[in-house]
Amino acid sequence: MSTVMDIGRLATVEQTRTALLVAACCALAVIAAPVRADAPPARPNILLIKIEDTNDWVEGFGGHPDTRTPNLLELAARGVRFNNAQTPSPLCNPAKTAIFSGLAPARTGVLANQQSPFRSWLPPYARTVFEFFLDKGYFVAAKGLIFHQDDETQAEPWSELPSYNWYRGQVPPQPTNGLPELLAVSPGFDWGPTNGPTANWGDYQIASYGIQFFGRNHQAPFFLSLGFTMPHVQWWVPHEFWDRFPASPSLPPNLPGDRNDTPPYTRTAIDTEQHRIITEAGKWPEAVRAYLASINFVDEQIGRVLDALDASPYAGNTIIVFFSDHGFHMGEKDAWGKGTLWEESTRVPFIIVAPGVTPAGGVVTRAGSTLDIYPTLIELAGFAPRQQLDGTSLVDLLQDPVGGGRSIDYALTSYYFGHSLRDQRWRYTRYTPANPALGGEELYDHATDPDEHVNLAAAPAHAARRAAMAATLAQALTFGPSLRPWVEVDAPLDDAQLDGHAVTLAATALDPEDGDLSGSVQWSSDRDGALTSPADLTPGSHVLTATVTDTDGQTATGQVTVRVFTDRDGDGVDDATDNCLDRANANQRDSNSDGYGSACDADLDGNRIVNYADLALFRQRFGTSNPDADFDGNGFVNAADLALMRMSFGRPPGPSAVAP
């Protein structure tokens, strides 16, 4: 472990000793406390800036030629840029949980967004990076999108956590991009310029909080986290940012049939509908423009924060960490968004500026991970780790970006269907879906194929390389005790009332070592025992249990409570309460041509009109006070109930209040 330079020492040891002696002389105490000759230096402050869903379209990282991020470019010039940084997982919740807990997804098993709260998946000893510095006496503040769910962020201990919002202008009727089909496939996937004062945007206000924070007088060292929401969809931006980019920007590289040499799972499970909808509508250039404008918008907000820090007394003693939680596809390999194990989804922009440590303009090309942030900050601040951390400190590389030492020379990215290993030149990926027939491997040489077009996993000339990286991946996934799987019931919904016998059963089952086990889920009912899918359930209440067992024999379950009823006439009403059972047409047609739905015909005497004769039949059947016919609840069956009867049953569909 390297020795970290003292950062921003505010006073020498001699000055500290003198100040203490003067204070002691002025005090009323009889005996002054002795002064230590090894008084520690001032601890560094920390500014952590996280953005969302950003690939390498940041100036200096080699991405899009039209991108404009002058503030991030200037930030990189002040410190060290990691040109080959990888996320621990290509999805929001797994990535953030790993980065802030310091524990790899393959250790905790957090591989999906639905695994909430994240705390329930961490081992008992786990302390987030924020907790660590809070325990060390830091003032730990945050604003914005920190963890995946806002309620989880709010549940964490903070010195200060003001609220924020996602406001992105006065949005016209959606979809702004004119693609309702896309919105149906991917809710929220919209873009375009919107109106409203820029100062009202959520990210603008997050930056304003940072500016205000640096204007305060801080007695204790601080750890400030700003979680900007852009460029997470929707890409709604003020007109001024939209207008900065051409209507026809350069499009990302896209090779037709690019997935033909990839494992079957990538062709069946990674969506291509978004790409089809966007490209068939001729909207690809517009989407690129919106993404570029969103990145430019958040860059400007970061610039406002950095200007405030530079103007404050904390500039010389504040570590700055900038990163994105994961990458984002913009049509490469016909993919949009995150959730793949390809470079566009796993690679992220990553910059660290540590006064007195990082050389200006340093560039690291060796593989690193944002999982390394936690141990790096601990070492930079002069502390020792208090728990198991899966990341590796980057301090040696911060001091010497080219020749610095590092105990590992790769970065690991895990998702529920596989794992990917990235080193300085190569990417090796192994897919582990529930169906082994859909699995397989990928091997890409980034020296000759930076866009990962040619899968070399089956090439004899690269067999040795593939085998070596496969062995390294196996070693990287050695995390001690086997981890338990996880099950989430997707259907039916909890507390659902289900008509008929054919009940859809669906669950997602994930395992850190074995991947997607959804196809291995076994279902049972507390009433009926083992079930098949679709299930046949007897009428009544059921507690349904979805169970999966991994290859190590560990079991996980998910449960849902439902109520099943019979519906012989198919009108969507439980036979036990169906007041027109056996009288309904399954399609709710007006078979009598009397203007009333056959399933709920209030014309009890069949004369094609609902009148007092039908009320008389009500009285015969129910008397004058039966609550089943007393629609208005006044204790009498009378003309008022007939009026309600007309109102309720004079049109299909709907159950009748009249029991046969």
Side-chain angles (χ1 to χ4, degrees), residues 488-508 518 521-525 531-538 542-546 558-565:
E488 181 187 26
V489 176
D490 300 318
L493 298 178
D494 199 27
D495 295 326
Q497 298 192 40
L498 308 170
D499 57 337
H501 291 293
V503 177
T504 301
L505 302 176
T508 299
S518 302
V521 173
Q522 303 295 317
W523 288 87
S524 64
S525 162
L531 302 174
T532 58
S533 182
D536 289 332
L537 298 174
T538 57
H542 294 258
V543 177
L544 306 183
T545 301
Q559 287 189 328
V560 61
T561 300
V562 299
R563 189 177 74 84
V564 175
F565 57 82

Side-chain angles (χ1 to χ4, degrees), residues 237-260:
V237 295
H239 279 271
E240 64 176 294
F241 294 88
W242 179 268
D243 294 341
R244 291 175 183 176
F245 294 91
S248 298
S250 299
L251 297 181
N254 179 277
L255 179 69
D258 201 0
R259 300 192 196 183
N260 291 345

Side-chain angles (χ1 to χ4, degrees), residues 423-475:
D423 65 17
Q424 188 164 0
R425 175 173 174 177
W426 298 86
R427 174 182 297 282
Y428 171 75
T429 302
R430 188 179 73 217
Y431 291 88
T432 58
N435 183 353
L438 298 179
E441 301 169 295
E442 291 176 311
L443 180 68
Y444 297 106
D445 182 358
H446 274 257
T448 60
D449 182 21
D451 298 318
E452 298 183 342
H453 290 318
V454 182
N455 181 11
L456 301 172
H462 299 286
R465 171 65 58 182
R466 186 209 63 79
M469 295 198 74
T472 302
L473 176 61
Q475 179 63 35

Side-chain angles (χ1 to χ4, degrees), residues 590-604:
D590 179 14
S591 56
N592 291 329
S593 300
D594 62 358
Y596 305 104
S598 300
C600 313
D601 201 332
D603 178 17
L604 299 186

